[in-house]
Tab-separated table of all heavy atoms in Angstrom:
chain	number	residue	atom	x	y	z
A	794	LYS	N	11.973	43.499	52.474
A	794	LYS	CA	13.109	43.863	51.630
A	794	LYS	C	12.838	45.153	50.867
A	794	LYS	O	13.706	46.024	50.763
A	794	LYS	CB	13.413	42.730	50.648
A	794	LYS	CG	14.072	41.510	51.268
A	794	LYS	CD	14.366	40.470	50.195
A	794	LYS	CE	15.085	39.257	50.778
A	794	LYS	NZ	15.352	38.234	49.743
A	795	ILE	N	11.617	45.254	50.332
A	795	ILE	CA	11.270	46.461	49.581
A	795	ILE	C	11.250	47.675	50.503
A	795	ILE	O	11.725	48.765	50.150
A	795	ILE	CB	9.904	46.277	48.884
A	795	ILE	CG1	10.032	45.246	47.766
A	795	ILE	CG2	9.385	47.602	48.330
A	795	ILE	CD1	8.710	44.854	47.140
A	796	GLY	N	10.711	47.492	51.734
A	796	GLY	CA	10.705	48.597	52.699
A	796	GLY	C	12.105	49.053	53.054
A	796	GLY	O	12.385	50.247	53.123
A	797	LYS	N	13.005	48.106	53.273
A	797	LYS	CA	14.397	48.460	53.588
A	797	LYS	C	15.060	49.160	52.415
A	797	LYS	O	15.806	50.128	52.579
A	797	LYS	CB	15.181	47.196	53.950
A	797	LYS	CG	14.900	46.649	55.337
A	797	LYS	CD	15.801	45.447	55.641
A	797	LYS	CE	15.577	44.947	57.058
A	797	LYS	NZ	16.423	43.770	57.364
A	798	GLN	N	14.775	48.647	51.209
A	798	GLN	CA	15.396	49.251	50.035
A	798	GLN	C	14.935	50.686	49.845
A	798	GLN	O	15.722	51.580	49.547
A	798	GLN	CB	15.056	48.411	48.802
A	798	GLN	CG	15.959	48.665	47.597
A	798	GLN	CD	15.639	49.955	46.892
A	798	GLN	OE1	14.484	50.371	46.835
A	798	GLN	NE2	16.653	50.622	46.379
A	799	LYS	N	13.623	50.917	50.062
A	799	LYS	CA	13.093	52.276	49.888
A	799	LYS	C	13.653	53.223	50.937
A	799	LYS	O	13.857	54.402	50.675
A	799	LYS	CB	11.565	52.257	49.961
A	799	LYS	CG	10.902	51.665	48.728
A	799	LYS	CD	9.393	51.743	48.821
A	799	LYS	CE	8.728	51.242	47.546
A	799	LYS	NZ	7.260	51.286	47.621
A	800	ARG	N	13.912	52.688	52.129
A	800	ARG	CA	14.395	53.551	53.203
A	800	ARG	C	15.900	53.785	53.124
A	800	ARG	O	16.378	54.895	53.340
A	800	ARG	CB	14.043	52.937	54.547
A	800	ARG	CG	14.411	53.829	55.726
A	800	ARG	CD	13.932	53.262	57.041
A	800	ARG	NE	14.255	54.154	58.149
A	800	ARG	CZ	14.036	53.860	59.420
A	800	ARG	NH1	13.477	52.704	59.750
A	800	ARG	NH2	14.347	54.720	60.364
A	801	PHE	N	16.647	52.714	52.817
A	801	PHE	CA	18.101	52.809	52.885
A	801	PHE	C	18.791	52.694	51.523
A	801	PHE	O	19.957	53.037	51.394
A	801	PHE	CB	18.659	51.713	53.801
A	801	PHE	CG	18.104	51.748	55.191
A	801	PHE	CD1	17.258	50.759	55.645
A	801	PHE	CD2	18.416	52.795	56.053
A	801	PHE	CE1	16.744	50.779	56.943
A	801	PHE	CE2	17.905	52.835	57.341
A	801	PHE	CZ	17.067	51.824	57.789
A	802	GLY	N	18.080	52.193	50.508
A	802	GLY	CA	18.709	51.975	49.218
A	802	GLY	C	18.654	53.196	48.341
A	802	GLY	O	18.173	54.255	48.725
A	803	ARG	N	19.099	53.021	47.120
A	803	ARG	CA	19.074	54.133	46.158
A	803	ARG	C	17.642	54.380	45.719
A	803	ARG	O	16.844	53.450	45.564
A	803	ARG	CB	19.956	53.808	44.949
A	803	ARG	CG	19.590	52.514	44.246
A	803	ARG	CD	20.640	52.170	43.176
A	803	ARG	NE	20.421	50.833	42.668
A	803	ARG	CZ	19.580	50.531	41.696
A	803	ARG	NH1	18.860	51.484	41.144
A	803	ARG	NH2	19.432	49.301	41.282
A	804	SER	N	17.318	55.622	45.519
A	804	SER	CA	15.949	55.967	45.133
A	804	SER	C	15.755	55.882	43.630
A	804	SER	O	14.631	55.761	43.150
A	804	SER	CB	15.593	57.373	45.618
A	804	SER	OG	16.483	58.319	45.072
A	805	SER	N	16.848	55.957	42.876
A	805	SER	CA	16.729	55.903	41.427
A	805	SER	C	16.203	54.546	40.994
A	805	SER	O	16.535	53.516	41.566
A	805	SER	CB	18.098	56.153	40.777
A	805	SER	OG	18.033	55.905	39.385
A	806	GLU	N	15.373	54.560	39.940
A	806	GLU	CA	14.862	53.307	39.396
A	806	GLU	C	15.744	52.794	38.275
A	806	GLU	O	15.446	51.790	37.645
A	806	GLU	CB	13.440	53.503	38.884
A	806	GLU	CG	12.454	53.819	39.993
A	806	GLU	CD	11.039	53.970	39.475
A	806	GLU	OE1	10.848	53.866	38.256
A	806	GLU	OE2	10.141	54.185	40.289
A	807	LYS	N	16.848	53.450	38.016
A	807	LYS	CA	17.738	53.037	36.949
A	807	LYS	C	18.544	51.828	37.392
A	807	LYS	O	19.122	51.797	38.467
A	807	LYS	CB	18.687	54.186	36.595
A	807	LYS	CG	19.685	53.834	35.512
A	807	LYS	CD	20.559	55.019	35.204
A	807	LYS	CE	21.412	55.407	36.384
A	807	LYS	NZ	22.315	56.517	36.063
A	808	MET	N	18.617	50.811	36.560
A	808	MET	CA	19.397	49.621	36.862
A	808	MET	C	20.267	49.304	35.667
A	808	MET	O	19.788	49.226	34.539
A	808	MET	CB	18.501	48.431	37.189
A	808	MET	CG	17.836	48.563	38.539
A	808	MET	SD	16.447	47.479	38.686
A	808	MET	CE	15.260	48.334	37.682
A	809	VAL	N	21.545	49.129	35.901
A	809	VAL	CA	22.486	48.893	34.819
A	809	VAL	C	22.932	47.440	34.860
A	809	VAL	O	23.314	46.920	35.894
A	809	VAL	CB	23.709	49.821	34.946
A	809	VAL	CG1	24.668	49.588	33.804
A	809	VAL	CG2	23.251	51.271	34.965
A	810	TYR	N	22.904	46.781	33.703
A	810	TYR	CA	23.350	45.405	33.602
A	810	TYR	C	24.451	45.317	32.554
A	810	TYR	O	24.459	46.051	31.569
A	810	TYR	CB	22.193	44.474	33.238
A	810	TYR	CG	21.112	44.492	34.278
A	810	TYR	CD1	19.945	45.219	34.090
A	810	TYR	CD2	21.292	43.835	35.477
A	810	TYR	CE1	18.974	45.256	35.066
A	810	TYR	CE2	20.320	43.868	36.456
A	810	TYR	CZ	19.165	44.571	36.248
A	810	TYR	OH	18.206	44.626	37.210
A	811	ASP	N	25.365	44.399	32.745
A	811	ASP	CA	26.538	44.323	31.897
A	811	ASP	C	26.190	43.907	30.468
A	811	ASP	O	26.656	44.492	29.513
A	811	ASP	CB	27.541	43.333	32.477
A	811	ASP	CG	28.084	43.825	33.809
A	811	ASP	OD1	28.105	45.046	33.997
A	811	ASP	OD2	28.463	42.987	34.638
A	812	GLU	N	25.406	42.836	30.336
A	812	GLU	CA	25.087	42.332	29.008
A	812	GLU	C	23.779	42.916	28.514
A	812	GLU	O	22.989	43.437	29.278
A	812	GLU	CB	24.992	40.801	29.015
A	812	GLU	CG	23.774	40.255	29.755
A	812	GLU	CD	23.903	40.370	31.257
A	812	GLU	OE1	25.008	40.601	31.751
A	812	GLU	OE2	22.884	40.240	31.920
A	813	GLN	N	23.593	42.819	27.200
A	813	GLN	CA	22.352	43.349	26.646
A	813	GLN	C	21.170	42.531	27.113
A	813	GLN	O	21.262	41.325	27.319
A	813	GLN	CB	22.414	43.310	25.120
A	813	GLN	CG	23.176	44.494	24.535
A	813	GLN	CD	22.711	44.749	23.129
A	813	GLN	OE1	22.217	43.865	22.466
A	813	GLN	NE2	22.858	45.965	22.671
A	814	MET	N	20.038	43.214	27.288
A	814	MET	CA	18.829	42.507	27.668
A	814	MET	C	18.328	41.677	26.489
A	814	MET	O	18.347	42.137	25.351
A	814	MET	CB	17.740	43.498	28.082
A	814	MET	CG	18.041	44.178	29.380
A	814	MET	SD	16.714	45.282	29.828
A	814	MET	CE	17.183	45.647	31.497
A	815	GLU	N	17.909	40.473	26.771
A	815	GLU	CA	17.370	39.624	25.720
A	815	GLU	C	15.869	39.833	25.614
A	815	GLU	O	15.189	40.163	26.575
A	815	GLU	CB	17.676	38.162	26.029
A	815	GLU	CG	17.149	37.716	27.389
A	815	GLU	CD	17.692	36.370	27.777
A	815	GLU	OE1	18.373	35.762	26.953
A	815	GLU	OE2	17.419	35.940	28.900
A	816	LEU	N	15.342	39.629	24.429
A	816	LEU	CA	13.915	39.828	24.212
A	816	LEU	C	13.110	38.701	24.834
A	816	LEU	O	13.557	37.566	24.901
A	816	LEU	CB	13.623	39.887	22.707
A	816	LEU	CG	14.245	41.087	21.987
A	816	LEU	CD1	13.991	40.959	20.515
A	816	LEU	CD2	13.679	42.375	22.527
A	817	CYS	N	11.920	39.028	25.296
A	817	CYS	CA	11.078	38.050	25.983
A	817	CYS	C	9.928	37.560	25.121
A	817	CYS	O	9.172	36.704	25.538
A	817	CYS	CB	10.511	38.675	27.248
A	817	CYS	SG	11.752	38.986	28.472
A	818	PHE	N	9.775	38.125	23.929
A	818	PHE	CA	8.610	37.724	23.152
A	818	PHE	C	8.932	37.863	21.679
A	818	PHE	O	9.744	38.684	21.271
A	818	PHE	CB	7.398	38.587	23.526
A	818	PHE	CG	7.726	40.031	23.688
A	818	PHE	CD1	7.636	40.890	22.623
A	818	PHE	CD2	8.149	40.522	24.911
A	818	PHE	CE1	7.953	42.217	22.776
A	818	PHE	CE2	8.468	41.845	25.060
A	818	PHE	CZ	8.369	42.696	23.996
A	819	ASN	N	8.314	37.033	20.867
A	819	ASN	CA	8.616	37.003	19.441
A	819	ASN	C	8.250	38.304	18.746
A	819	ASN	O	8.892	38.710	17.793
A	819	ASN	CB	7.870	35.848	18.769
A	819	ASN	CG	8.384	34.506	19.250
A	819	ASN	OD1	9.538	34.396	19.633
A	819	ASN	ND2	7.522	33.497	19.242
A	820	GLU	N	7.170	38.950	19.238
A	820	GLU	CA	6.715	40.167	18.559
A	820	GLU	C	7.741	41.284	18.620
A	820	GLU	O	7.613	42.279	17.933
A	820	GLU	CB	5.405	40.651	19.184
A	820	GLU	CG	4.212	39.779	18.900
A	820	GLU	CD	4.107	38.631	19.898
A	820	GLU	OE1	5.074	38.395	20.649
A	820	GLU	OE2	3.063	37.994	19.930
A	821	ALA	N	8.763	41.157	19.461
A	821	ALA	CA	9.765	42.209	19.567
A	821	ALA	C	10.599	42.325	18.304
A	821	ALA	O	11.247	43.340	18.068
A	821	ALA	CB	10.694	41.939	20.746
A	822	GLU	N	10.592	41.278	17.457
A	822	GLU	CA	11.425	41.295	16.269
A	822	GLU	C	10.738	42.073	15.165
A	822	GLU	O	10.373	41.556	14.112
A	822	GLU	CB	11.747	39.874	15.842
A	822	GLU	CG	12.543	39.129	16.915
A	822	GLU	CD	12.801	37.697	16.538
A	822	GLU	OE1	12.331	37.286	15.451
A	822	GLU	OE2	13.456	37.009	17.296
A	823	VAL	N	10.533	43.345	15.453
A	823	VAL	CA	9.903	44.236	14.488
A	823	VAL	C	10.997	44.902	13.681
A	823	VAL	O	12.003	45.335	14.230
A	823	VAL	CB	9.065	45.309	15.215
A	823	VAL	CG1	8.412	46.229	14.207
A	823	VAL	CG2	8.006	44.634	16.072
A	824	THR	N	10.827	44.998	12.388
A	824	THR	CA	11.856	45.615	11.564
A	824	THR	C	11.469	47.024	11.199
A	824	THR	O	10.303	47.348	10.994
A	824	THR	CB	12.084	44.807	10.277
A	824	THR	OG1	10.861	44.722	9.573
A	824	THR	CG2	12.595	43.415	10.619
């Protein structure tokens, strides 16, 4: 799948998602 994506897919590493990303760890709550 990765080989096909690199050959035929978009080369950009940018990925857009509709909703905001949620934090994965407590330490992210830095003020």
Side-chain angles (χ1 to χ4, degrees):
K794 286 182 177 179
I795 291 172
K797 284 184 177 179
Q798 198 284 327
K799 287 183 176 179
R800 185 174 182 185
F801 303 111
R803 56 188 170 85
S804 59
S805 171
E806 294 182 358
K807 178 179 64 177
M808 288 162 285
V809 181
Y810 299 101
D811 295 333
E812 70 286 345
Q813 278 205 335
M814 290 182 169
E815 56 191 354
L816 295 175
C817 292
F818 42 91
N819 293 332
E820 290 86 348
E822 298 177 358
V823 180
T824 58

